[in-house]
Amino acid sequence: MASKDAQNQRRGLPSFLPGVPDPDESLPASYSNPGNQAWQLSRPLPRSFLPTVSLPPGLEYLSQLDLIIIHQQVELLGMILGTETSNKYEIKNSLGQRIYFAVEESICFNRTFCSTLRSCTLRITDNSGREVITVNRPLRCNSCWCPCYLQELEIQAPPGTIVGYVAQKWDPFLPKFTIQNANKEDILKIVGPCATCGCFGDVNFEVKTINEKLTIGKISKYWSGFVNDVFTNADNFGIHVPADLDVTVKAAMIGACFLFDFMFFEHSLAGL
């Protein structure tokens, strides 16, 4: 033991108490690290040391997507009568394959008298019919003169488990929103253009870091042509984000698309 302690001291290592193994003895015999080569374990780490990734059930479809397309279905009854009906959306990947289907739940009174400010619930199901995301929208204001009660969405995935929020932030010139986690802590910011009419082109909402210095993606409302924009309320959106973005944040951005549709692009012949 004395000779080993002397060796440790010459190497600049502390002496260890009797009965405690020297860390050098716990290393594999084949361990070597010549030069600047990366060191790798000769045997795998125990499972308890590995990071665990648990995706909410049904959101695994979003894990590798960097483009999410949302297509609002045309409601013929609303187009003919000029009335507001419950919205329905197809959510697709970049290949146009449907991964989810969203249906609005709201009462006729709210759709008629509260119009685009109406409270509602959007239920998002996968192709097997299983509900995987629930988006709750309460009745709130939509005016720069009421900064204390602005728009907000609650995102649940799976239903009953809150994973995030989309909250409107007061700004006198630009539409601004934040993506929040379940504790209502700001994660990302969404900044829209001063004019959101989109009469002859796409409308882009930039997804930025909280300090607004870095843009990591965008939410686009695609222009579908003059006839479609005037005579129908069917809108198409695209969410462009990094593929490795957390799936709960992607779910919140899907909810943000619904909110933007209600706030800026929802119309019918009754409103012309």
Side-chain angles (χ1 to χ4, degrees), residues 91-110:
I91 302 171
K92 305 176 181 180
N93 59 20
S94 59
L95 300 178
Q97 299 168 332
R98 191 174 86 176
I99 55 175
Y100 300 121
F101 187 72
V103 178
E104 173 195 352
E105 288 186 358
S106 59
I107 60 177
C108 181
F109 178 88
N110 284 347

Side-chain angles (χ1 to χ4, degrees), residues 5-271:
D5 290 344
Q7 293 176 2
N8 287 341
Q9 290 176 358
R10 284 197 300 269
R11 290 182 295 174
L13 299 175
S15 300
F16 290 87
L17 295 176
V20 179
D22 191 325
D24 288 351
E25 296 178 354
S26 64
L27 291 174
S30 61
Y31 167 78
S32 63
N33 189 23
N36 293 324
Q37 293 181 6
W39 176 68
Q40 296 180 349
L41 285 172
S42 61
R43 58 178 181 268
L45 284 171
R47 184 174 297 272
S48 59
F49 287 93
L50 297 175
T52 57
V53 178
S54 178
L55 299 179
L59 298 194
E60 58 271 8
Y61 302 108
L62 300 176
S63 60
Q64 299 299 321
L65 295 184
D66 59 359
L67 172 61
I68 303 169
I69 299 172
I70 299 180
H71 171 68
Q72 183 178 2
Q73 291 190 336
V74 177
E75 295 293 334
L76 294 178
L77 180 62
M79 184 176 65
I80 295 172
L81 300 179
T83 58
E84 191 63 57
T85 57
S86 297
N87 290 345
K88 297 180 178 64
Y89 304 87
E90 286 186 305
I91 302 171
K92 305 176 181 180
N93 59 20
S94 59
L95 300 178
Q97 299 168 332
R98 191 174 86 176
I99 55 175
Y100 300 121
F101 187 72
V103 178
E104 173 195 352
E105 288 186 358
S106 59
I107 60 177
C108 181
F109 178 88
N110 284 347
R111 293 195 302 272
T112 302
F113 295 100
C114 299
S115 187
T116 60
L117 296 178
R118 62 185 180 268
S119 61
C120 62
T121 297
L122 290 119
R123 303 194 182 278
I124 303 176
T125 57
D126 60 15
N127 290 327
S128 67
R130 175 183 56 168
E131 184 176 349
V132 295
I133 305 173
T134 301
V135 179
N136 293 317
R137 184 199 188 197
L139 178 64
R140 283 178 170 261
C141 298
N142 182 21
S143 171
C144 62
W145 304 110
C146 301
C148 299
Y149 206 63
L150 296 177
Q151 293 292 306
E152 184 178 275
L153 290 183
E154 177 190 85
I155 313 298
Q156 300 178 6
T161 302
I162 298 175
V163 296
Y165 297 87
V166 180
Q168 183 184 10
K169 297 299 181 182
W170 184 85
D171 188 276
F173 304 109
L174 298 175
K176 291 188 176 183
F177 303 82
T178 56
I179 301 292
Q180 302 174 334
N181 61 16
N183 298 321
K184 289 199 170 184
E185 299 168 337
D186 293 346
I187 300 175
L188 295 171
K189 185 171 289 187
I190 303 176
V191 181
C194 182
T196 59
C197 61
C199 296
F200 299 100
D202 298 345
V203 180
N204 295 316
F205 295 79
E206 294 185 336
V207 181
K208 297 175 174 288
T209 54
I210 294 301
N211 58 14
E212 298 187 27
K213 292 184 178 180
L214 180 64
T215 299
I216 68 163
K218 65 179 179 179
I219 297 175
S220 300
K221 192 272 181 181
Y222 298 133
W223 185 56
S224 54
F226 178 79
V227 174
N228 283 337
D229 277 354
V230 171
F231 292 100
T232 73
N233 62 353
D235 297 312
N236 296 308
F237 293 88
I239 303 174
H240 303 258
V241 291
D244 58 352
L245 189 67
D246 190 284
V247 293
T248 59
V249 179
K250 292 180 181 179
M253 289 188 178
I254 293 174
C257 281
F258 298 150
L259 181 60
F260 298 164
D261 187 33
F262 282 118
M263 293 180 63
F264 306 115
F265 309 110
E266 187 79 6
H267 63 79
S268 65
L269 293 178

